[in-house]
Amino acid sequence: MAKEVNLTEELKRNFGFDTFKGNQEAIIRNLLAGNDTFVLMPTGGGKSLCYQLPSLILDGTAIVISPLIALMKNQVDAMRNFSAEDGVAHFINSSLNKTAIDQVKTDILSGKTKLLYVAPESLTKEENIDFLKQVNVSFYAVDEAHCISEWGHDFRPEYRRIRPIINEIGVRPVIALTATATPKVQHDIQKNLGMLEATVFKSSFNRPNLYYEVRPKTANIDKDIIKYIKSQEGKSGIIYCLSRKKVEELAELLQVNGIRALPYHAGMDSATRTQNQDAFLLEKIDVIVATIAFGMGIDKPDVRYVIHYDIPKSLEGYYQETGRAGRDGGEGQCITFYINKDLQKLEKFMQGKPIAEQEIGKQLLLETAAYAESSLCRRKILLHYFGEEYEEDNCGNCDNCLNPKKQVEAKDQLCAVLET
Ligand code: ADP
Ligand code: MG
């Protein structure tokens, strides 16, 4: 059936877009042909459409497993806006009461629901599995699939139960999608989902408009940051700190220095958090000082700089966090303050966790430190980390390329960093 469909027409009719982005069309054709499909695409690349459009074309209901309850509602609302049909998309998660869930189930069984988002903790519930056994499933989409891997930045144990549950509900093609592309995570996902044979679609993770710089972290860091922000007047920026305490202190310090800044971390009550986030999105403030709790799913296209006050826990996290700059394709400066002794601080944070987790954490941290201490092209190292070779000798947009250090030193590091 896939051959008969004019996909561009379907795209236009259902979503109002004229053309596909990147690999979207090839991905969709592969899924429509009934193949397991693995999609590695950076954030903002347009992964959702890769399952949304096929769900509208195929018979039955596509089941989308996604960990982000807040985003689920956004996506379902967006789908409903596109569609004249009521009940075309639904979600099941812990935010729904019994009456709401009954309505969802009625719609699904009546056949009008093309897309059902399910939170992993709802998918593992016996009653939901029993219900889904009665459903004509078109395919399964596992979004944010890196949650399966302990090497990913957001491991969720329930994600490891997806394959057995699919087998129980009824085997159909699976499409797994993630913006986390390290070869280790990729292998983990494919193995765990039983899709080692899947067709893999990998987009480039290069973000040419982002400038990467690592600065030494000295006793003057606060002054350095204030000076930097003042040089970026009127522009939006995010500052990531490791601890909630530092977030609060720094936000206050910036305010005292006449900078429009607010804090954001998971320890604040949710009303204040939402308020501060909105103030940032609506540009009532210029700077949000945050822990990594800030940013997941936030789409502010014109963030002009991301500062890391402390070294991130992994290069993966670094890529995701810096990736929030310049999403509109315009300038984005990514500046990290680094001092070797912060590594011990981060290791201390890991104490008390299971040994295996600590080992993984240490390994990830060492890779980040190697990046920070390197005099090689930052872009090259980052992309290498994602299994991608960057061919240019000089990216022209990182500190090491713009201000090269001594050749000999760089050559030694080539072995140290790239031979991992
Ligand atoms: P991801 O999940 O990969 O981070 P999303 O699925 O959220 O990305 O899509 C990012 C943005 O791109 C959304 O605003 C979406 O509407 C838009 N988009 C997706 N596909 C297309 C397309 N073919 N043409 C134009 N915009 C698109
Ligand atoms: Mg997405």
Side-chain angles (χ1 to χ4, degrees), residues 3-202:
K3 283 198 191 74
E4 296 154 30
V5 191
N6 183 332
L7 284 183
T8 308
E9 217 164 78
E10 293 290 329
L11 176 71
K12 179 81 183 164
R13 191 165 61 82
N14 290 294
F15 296 91
F17 301 138
D18 291 321
T19 53
F20 286 102
K21 282 213 283 195
N23 289 333
Q24 279 177 334
E25 183 168 2
I27 293 165
I28 291 169
R29 287 203 184 279
N30 192 61
L31 181 63
L32 288 176
N35 301 317
D36 284 344
T37 310
F38 191 79
V39 178
L40 299 147
M41 206 189 265
T43 305
K47 287 185 285 298
S48 324
L49 193 97
C50 298
Y51 53 79
Q52 287 170 338
L53 184 59
S55 78
L56 299 177
I57 293 171
L58 293 170
D59 284 336
T61 307
I63 296 183
V64 182
I65 298 140
S66 161
L68 306 166
I69 294 190
L71 294 194
M72 230 177 242
K73 188 165 179 316
N74 282 354
Q75 289 216 355
V76 167
D77 288 346
M79 284 293 286
R80 285 179 183 157
N81 278 339
F82 283 123
S83 172
E85 188 90 39
D86 220 29
V88 68
H90 273 303
F91 60 84
I92 294 184
N93 62 38
S94 52
S95 76
L96 295 186
N97 62 23
K98 177 141 186 354
T99 322
I101 289 194
D102 285 343
Q103 177 61 50
V104 171
K105 289 182 174 173
T106 310
D107 279 358
I108 294 171
L109 292 177
S110 80
K112 60 181 167 189
T113 301
K114 305 305 293 174
L115 202 57
L116 175 68
Y117 288 84
V118 189
E121 58 277 11
S122 302
L123 184 73
T124 51
K125 280 205 186 112
E126 205 65 52
E127 54 185 281
N128 289 327
I129 296 175
D130 283 339
F131 168 73
L132 291 172
K133 281 182 192 164
Q134 309 163 48
V135 175
N136 174 22
V137 177
S138 51
F139 63 87
Y140 299 88
V142 183
D143 206 354
E144 313 290 343
H146 56 271
C147 294
I148 284 176
S149 173
E150 289 179 283
W151 291 95
H153 53 86
D154 192 15
F155 174 55
R156 313 228 173 180
E158 317 91 65
Y159 254 68
R160 294 204 162 245
R161 293 187 52 201
I162 292 176
R163 185 76 239 184
I165 290 173
I166 287 178
N167 292 344
E168 207 178 326
I169 297 173
V171 174
R172 306 294 301 141
V174 177
I175 178 171
L177 313 98
T178 179
T180 301
T182 72
K184 258 183 214 143
V185 175
Q186 179 183 343
H187 180 77
D188 249 11
I189 296 171
Q190 285 189 264
K191 193 166 169 215
N192 194 268
L193 281 178
M195 53 190 294
L196 286 167
E197 307 287 303
T199 325
V200 177
F201 294 88
K202 183 166 180 184

Side-chain angles (χ1 to χ4, degrees), residues 183-237:
K184 258 183 214 143
V185 175
Q186 179 183 343
H187 180 77
D188 249 11
I189 296 171
Q190 285 189 264
K191 193 166 169 215
N192 194 268
L193 281 178
M195 53 190 294
L196 286 167
E197 307 287 303
T199 325
V200 177
F201 294 88
K202 183 166 180 184
S203 320
S204 173
F205 279 66
N206 187 19
R207 297 279 310 274
N209 59 316
L210 297 190
Y211 164 75
Y212 300 105
E213 177 180 340
V214 180
R215 294 189 188 180
K217 186 169 176 177
T218 67
N220 276 330
I221 179 170
D222 292 345
K223 274 190 205 146
D224 290 346
I225 288 180
I226 291 169
K227 195 168 146 208
Y228 175 83
I229 296 174
K230 294 210 161 164
S231 76
Q232 302 289 314
E233 213 191 318
K235 296 182 183 168
S236 295

